[in-house]
Amino acid sequence: MSVLPLVFTSGWASGINAYAVVLLLGVFGATGLTDEVPAALQRTDVLVVAGVLFLIEAVADKIPYVDSAWDSVHTVVRPLSGAVVAALLAGESGSLPELAAGAVGGSTALMSHLVKAGTRMAVNTSPEPFSNIAVSTAEDLGVAGIITFAMFHPLAAASIAATLLLLGIVILVFLASRIRRFLRRRAQRREEKRIAEAGGHRPPG
């Protein structure tokens, strides 16, 4: 059976929470739930590191503005993780060239990451923190649910992931104005901080 559906799904999920994907796949493989998870993801040190980073992200991802800073740092991490996981999955199954799998996993992770980061910018325009917590929790549960579902129904899970990705892109288009407002506020705060550090005086002309 082709591993492509699992590669696509893991890529989509990695763009949202790469550490959760590594942790879940590793646990599923280590417990014998599936034999499609490569040994590299089942190693104890990998699981421990992924678990610690997942806990850190679970907190950072629910704090307004901290979540967007965290997303900025992970613009490289998530697509890279998606590519590596996809290549490992392909290498384990032998049904898809590793380079092609890495390209699919990495590009899908990048797209879902951009949707996630953009959506968070829009959510951060709201003054209360509860929306961040709700969105973050929904993302965590969604990743856990779809990766688990993919272990038993990879094609159906890939279809759901593709639908969610497309829906996310559409929503992001509608939220574009709120995202621009968020970016303007962030630039304004940086300017105010710079002025404060310079002694509270704007430079002449």
Side-chain angles (χ1 to χ4, degrees), residues 95-111:
S95 62
L96 182 69
E98 294 179 33
L99 185 60
V104 172
S107 58
T108 305
L110 176 60
M111 286 189 290

Side-chain angles (χ1 to χ4, degrees), residues 30-128:
T31 56
L33 184 63
T34 178
D35 56 1
E36 293 191 23
V37 177
L41 296 179
Q42 301 179 40
R43 291 170 38 180
T44 301
D45 56 340
V46 172
L47 292 176
V48 170
V49 171
V52 171
L53 291 173
F54 169 74
L55 292 176
I56 295 173
E57 175 154 327
V59 175
D61 203 44
K62 294 174 176 59
I63 304 174
Y65 298 104
V66 173
D67 58 351
S68 289
W70 184 267
D71 286 338
S72 297
V73 172
H74 285 74
T75 300
V76 175
V77 175
R78 288 170 182 157
L80 181 60
S81 177
V84 170
V85 169
L88 288 173
L89 290 171
E92 183 74 10
S93 72
S95 62
L96 182 69
E98 294 179 33
L99 185 60
V104 172
S107 58
T108 305
L110 176 60
M111 286 189 290
S112 64
H113 164 75
L114 293 176
V115 169
K116 171 189 170 77
T119 302
R120 285 310 183 83
M121 289 181 184
V123 170
N124 279 330
T125 61
S126 174
E128 42 74 30

Side-chain angles (χ1 to χ4, degrees), residues 1-199:
M1 183 179 65
S2 174
V3 76
L4 182 58
L6 183 57
V7 163
F8 180 85
T9 303
S10 66
W12 172 84
S14 294
I16 298 173
N17 193 324
Y19 306 125
V21 173
V22 173
L23 182 62
L24 286 168
L25 289 177
V27 169
F28 291 153
T31 56
L33 184 63
T34 178
D35 56 1
E36 293 191 23
V37 177
L41 296 179
Q42 301 179 40
R43 291 170 38 180
T44 301
D45 56 340
V46 172
L47 292 176
V48 170
V49 171
V52 171
L53 291 173
F54 169 74
L55 292 176
I56 295 173
E57 175 154 327
V59 175
D61 203 44
K62 294 174 176 59
I63 304 174
Y65 298 104
V66 173
D67 58 351
S68 289
W70 184 267
D71 286 338
S72 297
V73 172
H74 285 74
T75 300
V76 175
V77 175
R78 288 170 182 157
L80 181 60
S81 177
V84 170
V85 169
L88 288 173
L89 290 171
E92 183 74 10
S93 72
S95 62
L96 182 69
E98 294 179 33
L99 185 60
V104 172
S107 58
T108 305
L110 176 60
M111 286 189 290
S112 64
H113 164 75
L114 293 176
V115 169
K116 171 189 170 77
T119 302
R120 285 310 183 83
M121 289 181 184
V123 170
N124 279 330
T125 61
S126 174
E128 42 74 30
F130 304 109
S131 53
N132 295 75
I133 296 174
V135 171
S136 177
T137 302
E139 289 171 349
D140 292 343
L141 293 176
V143 167
I146 201 165
I147 289 295
T148 302
F149 187 56
M151 293 294 99
F152 305 98
H153 306 284
L155 188 57
S159 299
I160 294 172
T163 301
L164 291 174
L165 180 59
L166 180 60
L167 182 61
I169 293 173
V170 171
I171 292 174
L172 199 57
V173 171
F174 283 104
L175 293 176
S177 61
R178 296 189 69 176
I179 294 172
R180 286 193 294 269
R181 186 160 63 248
F182 168 81
L183 293 174
R184 283 196 299 269
R185 286 181 179 177
R186 189 164 64 174
Q188 183 179 3
R189 281 197 301 272
R190 284 200 297 263
E191 178 65 14
E192 291 173 349
K193 181 180 179 181
R194 187 188 67 80
I195 293 172
E197 291 175 347

